[in-house]
Amino acid sequence: MLDLGRLRAIDALSRHGTVHAAAAALHCTPSAVSQQLAKLERETGAVLCHKDGRGLRLSDAGRLLAEHAALVLAAADTASAALDAYRGEVAGEVTVACFATACRGLLPPALTALTRSYPRLRPRVVETNPYEALQSLDRGRVDVAVIDDWREVRLHLPPGVSSTVLGEDTADLVVPADHPLADAGPGPLDRAANERWIASPEGTICHDWLVRALPGLRPAYLVGEFETQQALVAAGLGVALLPRLARLTTAPGTVVVPVDPVPTRRVSVTWRTAHHQRPALKAVIEAITTAWSTRTTARAGS
């Protein structure tokens, strides 16, 4: 009988490429991963790894075992989730990775509802960008990831990850109140291409979308918080494209200018497919979905 912990070590090495990355995914030391791999070699009587400089790479036998290890581990995760479903109790720890504006706009009502309904549930939250959220989900560091992407910058889900689309979040051009575009009405985004731009930092999905929408754009200010971007616009320092989920109110001294065609980002909730039967996971996904629906209904009625 092959040890599951050792199979997790070879699976992690196969998925993440290096012993250090595998150790990070498994929340242990590189030495512990190496020890597990050495024990697995003795257990199987096969050479599973070759030295590659200061690291390790899988042999043909190692790659073969890693393929089967992924199937075994997925089955074990599914079995564990099925047992949770059989017990039917919403309890334990569920970690949610979420991008910043959804942390502010969606999670407060979702977490409040969960806390009231399930006292034995222990939700945790990690604020991070969608790229890192999916990576953390794939590595097992989080249980749920709330992500956003744009039509021009689609995210690809790792194998074994499922998702449901919550909906779309519209973005608007925000300009200083005395800006020439303030009274211009809806129009294409590229009419603001030569303005001084305030944008999200490089490496974020919102920045990646904006520089694709306006090729050659070099924003003057790179700011992570949308509230700060809006404050800079109010100070007359430039223009910004702000998603409505991020813009709970319109700051004094700014004007919202609709863009035509309308830029939208897709908001989704994702999880590891094998865990979907867990009552705790289902409860968290349902609470987030309800928070989105309630928010959408409230905005439509305002």
Side-chain angles (χ1 to χ4, degrees):
M1 181 71 70
L2 296 175
D3 180 86
L4 282 181
R6 293 164 198 167
L7 290 180
R8 290 193 188 282
I10 196 167
D11 174 67
L13 179 60
S14 174
R15 285 155 62 91
H16 304 298
T18 68
V19 171
H20 279 80
L26 296 174
H27 308 290
C28 64
T29 64
S31 175
V33 172
S34 297
Q35 291 174 21
Q36 290 284 65
L37 292 171
K39 290 177 181 178
L40 189 58
E41 286 194 331
R42 291 196 295 270
E43 191 174 46
T44 59
V47 177
L48 302 177
C49 301
H50 297 302
K51 286 194 175 295
D52 186 13
R54 299 181 64 181
L56 295 175
R57 60 179 173 84
L58 292 176
S59 65
D60 289 343
R63 285 192 291 272
L64 176 64
L65 183 58
E67 291 176 6
H68 288 278
L71 298 175
V72 170
L73 294 171
D77 286 344
T78 301
S80 178
L83 279 175
D84 285 343
Y86 175 77
R87 298 185 187 103
E89 185 178 17
V90 178
E93 186 173 279
V94 176
T95 302
V96 180
C98 189
F99 62 98
T101 51
C103 274
R104 183 171 66 248
L106 291 182
L107 290 194
L111 294 172
T112 299
L114 288 168
T115 300
R116 290 173 178 169
S117 300
Y118 308 109
R120 297 194 61 191
L121 182 67
R122 301 189 306 279
R124 297 180 64 249
V125 175
V126 179
E127 181 184 304
T128 187
N129 69 67
Y131 297 135
E132 293 179 356
L134 280 182
Q135 187 179 69
S136 294
L137 183 66
D138 184 40
R139 293 182 175 182
R141 293 177 178 173
V142 303
D143 303 295
V144 176
V146 182
I147 61 173
D148 66 319
D149 62 0
W150 303 75
R151 188 175 296 107
E152 295 81 2
V153 190
R154 286 301 190 207
L155 293 176
H156 300 287
L157 300 183
V161 171
S162 297
S163 74
T164 184
V165 176
L166 297 176
E168 292 193 333
D169 185 27
T170 299
D172 301 297
L173 181 67
V174 179
V175 304
D178 59 356
H179 193 280
L181 289 176
D183 299 319
L189 183 63
D190 60 9
R191 65 181 173 176
N194 295 323
E195 300 294 330
R196 183 188 295 114
W197 273 86
I198 302 158
S200 298
E202 294 180 3
T204 63
I205 198 163
C206 288
H207 181 279
D208 292 347
W209 177 83
L210 184 61
V211 296
R212 289 193 185 189
L214 298 175
L217 180 69
R218 294 187 61 192
Y221 303 98
L222 298 177
V223 179
E225 290 290 335
F226 284 116
E227 285 185 336
T228 305
Q229 290 187 28
Q230 191 168 216
L232 293 175
V233 174
L237 296 172
V239 304
L241 190 81
L242 302 184
R244 293 180 185 175
L245 184 60
R247 184 172 49 81
L248 301 181
T249 60
T250 300
T254 68
V255 171
V256 175
V257 182
V259 178
D260 184 19
V262 178
T264 58
R265 59 176 178 172
R266 179 177 63 178
V267 180
S268 306
V269 58
T270 64
W271 64 90
R272 291 194 297 285
T273 307
H275 291 182
H276 190 236
Q277 292 186 68
R278 282 185 63 195
L281 190 74
K282 286 185 175 181
V284 170
I285 294 170
E286 181 180 351
I288 293 171
T289 303
T290 300
W292 175 272
S293 298
T294 301
R295 171 193 168 276
T296 302
T297 301
R299 290 186 72 98
S302 61

